[in-house]
Amino acid sequence: MTRRLVLSNEAARHPFRASLPPPATARGRRDDDGDWKLFLLSFAAFFTCFYTLIA
């Protein structure tokens, strides 16, 4: 089986999606405080669960 050369995005199989430009990549500033937010959220959730089991 031979395949013809594909010059567009191969994931876009529908003709309308193939005609769209490729999606833009995220080049913004990285959110550095996301790790702290996740840590605090996890800590609060663990503390709440642990406290409800003890009390």
Side-chain angles (χ1 to χ4, degrees):
M1 171 188 268
T2 60
R3 293 179 51 179
R4 61 188 176 112
L5 180 63
V6 177
L7 297 176
S8 63
N9 186 3
E10 199 168 312
R13 298 187 187 274
H14 193 272
F16 176 73
R17 290 187 67 194
S19 68
L20 294 174
T25 58
R27 293 187 198 166
R29 185 176 76 79
R30 184 171 173 248
D31 189 17
D32 290 335
D33 63 343
D35 293 336
W36 284 107
K37 289 178 183 176
L38 180 61
F39 171 75
L40 291 175
L41 179 67
S42 301
F43 182 80
F46 175 76
F47 180 78
T48 303
C49 292
F50 188 74
Y51 186 74
T52 55
L53 288 174
I54 296 297

